[in-house]
Amino acid sequence: RCERAAPPQVLLNEVRRIGGKGKTVEDVGEAVQSLLSMASKRDLICITGSFYTIGEAKAFLLRLKRQSLDANN
């Protein structure tokens, strides 16, 4: 974890202060899965963070896509 990064709870508190909803999750794959389960087909999910975080999210989404394609074949 980067020393410059704000603690997740501080960010969540700010989101809630401005009327948003959210939760903190340590595992990136778990966080993406949680977002996907809450989102509708019309929702846009924006994942931000370090290159490390984005890389983990991308890898998770690619595995999910691969599993979906394998299940359909």
Side-chain angles (χ1 to χ4, degrees), residues 22-40:
K23 66 180 182 178
T24 61
V25 180
E26 287 295 318
D27 180 73
V28 174
E30 184 182 333
V32 173
Q33 186 62 53
S34 179
L35 287 169
L36 292 172
S37 70
M38 294 186 312
S40 74

Side-chain angles (χ1 to χ4, degrees), residues 42-57:
R42 297 188 56 132
D43 286 333
L44 170 70
I45 296 174
C46 178
I47 301 171
T48 65
S50 67
F51 287 126
Y52 178 77
T53 300
I54 300 305
E56 278 190 70

Side-chain angles (χ1 to χ4, degrees), residues 2-13:
C2 178
E3 290 180 18
R4 297 181 309 166
Q9 193 59 46
V10 170
L11 297 174
L12 180 58
N13 290 343

